Structures are given as C-alpha cells and as structure tokens.
Amino acid sequence: MFSTSALLALNSEPADATTVSSSTRKMPPGKLYAIADIHLSFPGNVEAWSQLAPHPGDGLILCGDVGESLEHMRIACSKAASCFDMVWWVPGNHELYTVRAEGSDGSRGEPKYEKLVEVARQFGVLTPEDDFMVWEGQGGAAVIAPIFTLYDYSFKPDDVPISGALNWAKEENIEATDEYLLHPDPYPTRQAWCHALVQKFEAKLEAAKAQHPTLPFIIANHWPLRKDLVFIPRIPRFVIWCGTTLTEDWHRRFNAKVVISGHLHIRRTDWKSGCRFEEVSLGYPRQWKDCADMGLGVNELLREILPGPKAIPEGGEQPAEWRSFTMEHIY
C-alpha cells in the first residue's frame, strides 16, 4: 500500500471551489509538459505521483486516464495544480468508467464526464469544455487545444466492416473493458457519442483557427489522431478502441505544431507533415518498471512539449523514436 505521507500530500482540498474562467488566467512564462495514463488505481502509481516536483512558471497537460473515480481525479488535479502554474486535462476511457468499487457515484457516460469537469474546475484545471488559450511561454505563441473524441472502431483493417470489428477483435480473444464499463449515455452507442464529439471539437478547432489564423496549435487528446501511430504488438486487434479515422488529417487542417496523446502505454515521438506527435503515457507499474529500475520516476518521464526540439526533420518526416520501454512490458 502507499504511505500515509502520500495520502496526506495528495488528498488536499481545492484552494478555491469556484470555477476559474480561462479568460482571467495568466499564462505561465516557462515550459509546457505533458503526461498521460498515470492510473491512480495502482498504489505504486499513487506513490510515484506524490513525488511530483514543483515546476514554478511551467504548465502541464494531463492527457487522460488519471484513474477511474472522482477521487482519483481529485488526487491527480490537486497534486498537478500544486506543482504547476497552469494545468489542462482531457479525459481518457478510464475516467469514463462506471465502477462503484472505485468510489464512483454510479454516473454513466456524459453525466460522468460532466462531473469530472466539475472536479477539474474546483482545482483551477482547464478542460475541453473551457476556452482554448494562447500559450505565451517558451517555444513561442501557440493555441492550446484540449479535445475529447473517443473512438468508433474505424481503426480496423480495410476489409473488415465496422459492423464486424468487434467480432474481428474477439477472434484473437481481445475485448476492451470499455465494452462493459464505459457507457455512452445519453447516446445509443459509443460510436454515436464519438461522432457527436468529433463534430463538436471540429467546430471548436475551426473557430479557434479563424480567431488565430497565424498561430500553430498544440492539440491534446487521449486517443491518437492517426491509426498509423498505433503500435501494440502483443494485442494488435485492440487497435479498434484507439481512435477514429475522422481525425486523420486534423494535424494538417489545424496547423498543429504538436499533437499529444496517451492510451497506448508506449512512449514514442513521431514526425508527420512537419508536426510532432508525442505519446506521453506513464502506464501501469509493470510497464514503466524498466524506467524505475533506471532510477526514472514521474518527474523524469514528464514529456517536454514546449519549447521541445528546435529542429524539424528534413521533409518534416521521421521514423518513430521510442522512449524507455521494453517489449515485455507492453500490455
């Protein structure tokens, strides 16, 4: 179990339970970092999160899967907000689970998401429901765009129809826990919720692009925007729960400088069409054990988003750069 000191450090009350308008926020002057999949249902990850160091003047993006319960959300936001001048959060699939044993109140689907947004705002953490903001710190001006898209099973092989995607995965004994714990209420299906979310955030990105036509975007979403960035060799058919093809070209359409995601639990950096794609997950304890064995913890595994690398690869393309993982720890 985790220590009493970790609990005391992480379960602090919000300094101000009122919603903080993004328009009144002062952008930090320092660096922008990101991390995903801290999975606070695991005691080892709670202990690691309790050791997050202060970053005065910096910003942080929590890119989904902080845990399953509202209490996990409070722990994640409380610590992040105490260490960074500004924090953003986007939901992953685990936050949306309805798991009473994890302290959930039984909310399902969109109502669960709305409660998570309320918790984030209690700690001054910005969400996909808040206005996009212009970063003015290191790395140059950019629009910070946290979004929420879910998935629709379209990351399937071309010869498999959408209607057969679930059965295709089950042929290899692969079925996501989402099928039992992630409810789409009030939408009839997760696909329908995904398509509504894609419409919503496509419109929000278009409006921000019209407002800031010369600025690059930093897009943060728990699920990868592109299928070709999904690499899960031990369970390849899990790919259908990893995103939607509807976002395939968003990095080009919205002038993205960096696209941040998690979900895969495999840290990597890719370059596509001059855009840097960062998978920034921590993962389950066994999946970052290789890092822990090297003395690397949460602080070392935070990914610097801005300013980031100074040079863009020739042609704006570069093969994946894998960051501290071993194949046996993947899923």
Side-chain angles (χ1 to χ4, degrees), residues 103-115:
S104 170
D105 65 354
S107 298
R108 295 162 56 111
E110 195 169 71
K112 174 72 182 288
Y113 170 60
E114 291 169 352
K115 290 195 173 185

Side-chain angles (χ1 to χ4, degrees), residues 13-321:
E13 292 297 320
D16 184 354
T18 61
T19 299
V20 181
S21 169
S22 57
S23 63
T24 66
R25 304 295 296 275
K26 181 176 174 59
M27 190 62 66
K31 296 181 177 182
L32 178 66
Y33 293 89
I35 193 167
D37 299 85
I38 61 174
H39 288 289
L40 296 179
S41 57
F42 288 85
N45 281 17
V46 175
E47 186 70 48
W49 191 242
S50 73
Q51 297 169 18
L52 185 67
H55 277 257
D58 293 337
L60 176 69
I61 298 175
L62 292 171
C63 215
D65 276 9
V66 302
E68 288 78 26
S69 69
L70 297 180
E71 183 59 22
H72 293 152
M73 186 69 175
R74 292 185 190 98
I75 291 171
C77 291
S78 171
K79 187 63 177 178
S82 73
C83 292
F84 286 82
D85 283 15
M86 188 169 289
V87 180
W88 290 261
W89 163 82
V90 298
N93 52 310
H94 278 250
E95 282 99 333
L96 301 172
Y97 285 178
T98 300
V99 186
R100 292 186 183 277
E102 291 292 341
S104 170
D105 65 354
S107 298
R108 295 162 56 111
E110 195 169 71
K112 174 72 182 288
Y113 170 60
E114 291 169 352
K115 290 195 173 185
L116 291 161
V117 169
E118 290 175 8
V119 171
R121 287 173 169 173
Q122 288 173 359
F123 293 92
V125 172
L126 297 169
T127 78
E129 302 309 307
D130 296 303
D131 294 339
F132 293 163
M133 297 187 65
V134 175
W135 175 261
E136 297 173 346
Q138 294 184 33
V143 177
I144 307 294
I147 64 172
F148 169 29
T149 63
L150 213 55
Y151 53 82
D152 62 359
Y153 308 133
S154 59
F155 279 7
K156 53 156 187 70
D158 291 341
D159 61 348
V160 174
I162 285 283
S163 60
L166 285 172
N167 285 335
W168 171 77
K170 289 178 182 179
E171 288 173 0
E172 297 291 334
N173 296 316
I174 302 299
E175 186 173 19
T177 305
D178 296 22
E179 295 299 314
Y180 303 95
L181 299 181
L182 201 168
H183 305 284
D185 307 35
Y187 297 91
T189 64
R190 280 176 289 276
Q191 297 102 306
W193 192 8
C194 169
H195 294 167
L197 289 166
V198 166
Q199 274 192 315
K200 172 181 176 178
F201 286 102
E202 185 175 37
K204 188 170 183 178
L205 286 162
E206 289 283 10
K209 180 182 174 183
Q211 185 178 4
H212 305 286
T214 64
L215 291 184
F217 278 56
I218 309 297
I219 300 176
N221 187 47
H222 180 68
W223 294 270
L225 296 190
R226 294 172 58 98
K227 180 183 175 183
D228 61 2
L229 299 178
V230 179
F231 176 72
I232 37 179
R234 293 186 66 179
I235 52 168
R237 296 195 184 193
F238 187 81
V239 68
I240 64 172
W241 290 279
C242 292
T244 170
T245 55
L246 295 172
T247 61
E248 180 82 10
D249 65 347
W250 281 17
H251 64 296
R252 292 191 297 268
R253 283 181 58 192
F254 302 114
N255 190 27
K257 182 176 184 177
V258 188
V259 174
I260 311 160
S261 65
H263 193 57
L264 304 181
H265 295 198
I266 304 174
R267 292 174 291 282
R268 62 186 282 183
T269 301
D270 294 84
W271 290 86
K272 302 284 184 182
S273 305
C275 175
R276 177 162 47 100
F277 289 80
E278 297 280 11
E279 207 282 0
V280 298
S281 56
L282 178 66
Y284 305 134
R286 74 178 188 278
Q287 293 169 330
W288 61 281
K289 183 179 182 297
D290 58 322
C291 298
D293 289 345
M294 292 185 288
L296 306 177
V298 163
N299 293 297
E300 291 77 21
L301 294 177
L302 292 176
R303 184 62 173 169
E304 182 184 304
I305 303 302
L306 292 175
K310 291 183 171 57
I312 297 176
E314 186 176 350
E317 303 279 336
Q318 183 169 294
E321 169 197 329

